[in-house]
Amino acid sequence: MKTGKLRWLIVSLVALATVINYIDRGALGFLWPEISKELGLTKADYAIILNVFTFAYAFGQSIFGRIFDQIGTRLGFVLSIAVWSLATMLHAVANGLASFAIFRALLGVSEAGNWPGATKANAEWFPINERALAQGIFNSGAAVGGIISAPIIAFLFVFLGSWQATFIVIGALGFLWLVPWLMIYKAGPDAHPWISAEERRFILEGQRDTQSNTEASYAPGSAEILSRKESWGVILASAFIDPIWWLFIGWLPLYLAETYGFGVKDIGLYAWVPYIGAMFGAWFGGLLAQNRIKAGWSVDKSRKFVIALGGAIMLVSLLATIKAATPTVAVLLMAAILFGFQTAIGNIQTLPSDFYAGSSIGTLAGYAGTAAKLAVVGLNFLIPVITIHSYAPAFAVGAALAVLTVLAVFVLCREIKPLQPRSAH
């Protein structure tokens, strides 16, 4: 049955926003050699700016989770992307540690809105059996952004001739994105003027759990959300798994330099490889969950199976990376790690919409994102301490986190289905 494609256009726009998100956040690192030389900044200054961004990003998840629930998906994305694009452009006038830290904090808070916003858009526009795939398409934007950001920023820097102009141009990308977003995202599927009757019915009827014949209608406030163990399963799983991704986002270049003596050119030749695995993992995790649900598995069984599979792939690959003998083997194993990460994370990120209704989804996604980024801050402090002689302890920590991720879901999310008020039991 043909159901229309408007929902896929919506998620494609969100994925494109994620690509822009990763280009904007990555620019500072790639341009830092020029910035530090011109302004006399140090590696210690860079570490301070990085942690300012991460802290702001952590709390931005909760802030924008509430904002999206208050003003809706359409305007929530407008606010998030307009602010982060402006913050990116303001980097062009930074002239020292303080100004970079301020603009980086503004960037961190606003970029964080992309994730609870995507979770909310997914819940609004997709039936249960397609949500993991939609989340996977969105998450693949992060992988694509990781692959293309370095060559795009390098090209712009060479073409434009200054790091200031580069920040202005990449910041403008977000404002350009707002044009198709405002034209296309006019309303949710229940009221959108362009959606066909077949696609509207397919989406709205598919948001009912066919196993329990119920749909999420429970939309509690923050206190009630945080009183449910299922919410803490989502929050803790996010906090355990996210540092695995950021272990490679933040530390892969240093690992290649310190372990194999790589320079900038060599790092550029190898560092993109793991993101290929991430891109395929994002698609695989979503398609597998969709396939299992269509085959008659419950949402609970399907989500847990895919999350456990992703955790197992991460565990085995992380342990193998400890003994990687060559840089080629190392980055291929890292591709497998990020494949497993994306296989699992897309299904973890759909859990808020599996448990709650619209007005609570962004809030829980925001809390989970805050916990995840605070865990990343902890990792950033830990890595220099445990990697004095080698990076083996870091990969061992990652393996432990993979196990804890799966345990958090299996122990605290006893059954993945729409929750009901306690008075209804």
Side-chain angles (χ1 to χ4, degrees), residues 37 94 113 151 153 177 181 207 265 273 366 384:
K37 181 170 61 176
I153 292 166
W177 179 92
W181 176 256
Q207 291 175 347
K265 181 179 178 181
V273 174

Side-chain angles (χ1 to χ4, degrees), residues 222-379:
S222 293
E224 182 69 13
I225 289 172
L226 295 176
S227 74
R228 306 298 294 255
K229 68 180 186 301
E230 291 85 358
S231 300
W232 284 101
V234 177
I235 291 168
L236 289 176
S238 300
F240 291 139
I241 195 171
D242 214 46
I244 299 173
W245 175 261
W246 286 77
L247 175 63
F248 300 99
I249 292 291
W251 296 96
L252 176 57
L254 274 70
Y255 164 79
L256 293 172
E258 295 175 14
T259 305
Y260 301 107
F262 277 12
V264 174
K265 181 179 178 181
D266 293 324
I267 291 172
L269 290 172
Y270 281 83
W272 60 273
V273 174
Y275 296 102
I276 298 294
M279 181 175 65
F280 285 111
W283 298 337
F284 173 76
L287 287 169
L288 181 59
Q290 176 180 309
N291 174 269
R292 292 298 83 206
I293 292 173
K294 285 185 174 180
W297 286 21
S298 67
V299 173
D300 177 69
K301 183 178 179 181
S302 300
R303 295 274 188 264
K304 287 178 178 176
F305 171 73
V306 179
I307 291 168
L309 177 61
I313 293 170
M314 286 188 288
L315 174 63
V316 172
S317 302
L318 280 158
L319 293 175
T321 306
I322 294 173
K323 297 293 186 180
T326 68
T328 300
V329 171
V331 295
L332 288 174
L333 284 169
M334 290 173 189
I337 293 165
L338 295 189
F339 179 92
F341 173 90
Q342 289 287 2
T343 295
I345 191 67
N347 283 268
I348 291 171
Q349 289 171 336
T350 64
L351 294 178
S353 61
D354 290 329
F355 290 130
Y356 297 108
S359 61
S360 297
I361 293 167
T363 299
L364 177 54
Y367 289 147
T370 294
K373 298 310 175 288
L374 290 177
V376 171
V377 171
L379 177 78

Side-chain angles (χ1 to χ4, degrees), residues 38-379:
E38 182 175 326
L39 300 180
L41 298 173
T42 67
K43 185 178 179 180
D45 294 327
Y46 179 76
I48 292 170
I49 295 168
L50 178 63
N51 275 332
V52 167
F53 172 85
T54 308
F55 269 111
Y57 193 84
F59 291 102
Q61 297 264 340
S62 292
I63 293 169
F64 267 94
R66 294 293 296 167
I67 288 173
F68 271 88
D69 281 342
Q70 292 296 319
I71 69 175
T73 305
R74 185 176 192 258
L75 292 180
F77 267 110
V78 171
L79 179 62
S80 175
I81 294 184
V83 174
W84 101 47
S85 298
L86 177 62
T88 301
M89 299 175 81
L90 285 173
H91 282 57
V93 300
N95 57 10
L97 174 61
S99 52
F100 269 112
I102 291 169
F103 299 145
R104 208 66 185 168
L106 183 61
L107 180 70
V109 169
S110 51
E111 278 204 335
N114 198 55
W115 271 257
T119 300
K120 192 170 181 67
N122 186 355
E124 290 174 351
W125 276 92
F126 286 88
I128 290 172
N129 69 329
E130 290 184 343
R131 283 178 184 168
L133 176 58
Q135 197 73 29
I137 293 171
F138 153 67
N139 282 338
S140 70
V144 173
I147 294 167
I148 70 172
S149 57
I152 286 177
I153 292 166
F155 169 79
L156 287 173
F157 175 74
V158 172
F159 180 75
L160 298 170
S162 74
W163 58 266
Q164 292 93 338
T166 303
F167 276 120
I168 291 172
V169 170
I170 63 173
L173 294 175
F175 288 111
L176 290 175
W177 179 92
L178 288 174
V179 176
W181 176 256
L182 288 171
M183 290 176 60
I184 294 169
Y185 201 113
K186 297 180 180 297
D190 56 335
H192 200 291
W194 295 358
I195 195 171
S196 67
E198 293 80 6
E199 186 173 15
R200 178 184 290 113
R201 184 167 57 251
F202 176 76
I203 293 170
L204 298 180
E205 291 181 357
Q207 291 175 347
R208 178 177 294 271
D209 186 331
T210 56
Q211 295 290 322
S212 60
N213 199 34
T214 60
E215 61 181 314
S217 58
Y218 177 44
S222 293
E224 182 69 13
I225 289 172
L226 295 176
S227 74
R228 306 298 294 255
K229 68 180 186 301
E230 291 85 358
S231 300
W232 284 101
V234 177
I235 291 168
L236 289 176
S238 300
F240 291 139
I241 195 171
D242 214 46
I244 299 173
W245 175 261
W246 286 77
L247 175 63
F248 300 99
I249 292 291
W251 296 96
L252 176 57
L254 274 70
Y255 164 79
L256 293 172
E258 295 175 14
T259 305
Y260 301 107
F262 277 12
V264 174
K265 181 179 178 181
D266 293 324
I267 291 172
L269 290 172
Y270 281 83
W272 60 273
V273 174
Y275 296 102
I276 298 294
M279 181 175 65
F280 285 111
W283 298 337
F284 173 76
L287 287 169
L288 181 59
Q290 176 180 309
N291 174 269
R292 292 298 83 206
I293 292 173
K294 285 185 174 180
W297 286 21
S298 67
V299 173
D300 177 69
K301 183 178 179 181
S302 300
R303 295 274 188 264
K304 287 178 178 176
F305 171 73
V306 179
I307 291 168
L309 177 61
I313 293 170
M314 286 188 288
L315 174 63
V316 172
S317 302
L318 280 158
L319 293 175
T321 306
I322 294 173
K323 297 293 186 180
T326 68
T328 300
V329 171
V331 295
L332 288 174
L333 284 169
M334 290 173 189
I337 293 165
L338 295 189
F339 179 92
F341 173 90
Q342 289 287 2
T343 295
I345 191 67
N347 283 268
I348 291 171
Q349 289 171 336
T350 64
L351 294 178
S353 61
D354 290 329
F355 290 130
Y356 297 108
S359 61
S360 297
I361 293 167
T363 299
L364 177 54
Y367 289 147
T370 294
K373 298 310 175 288
L374 290 177
V376 171
V377 171
L379 177 78

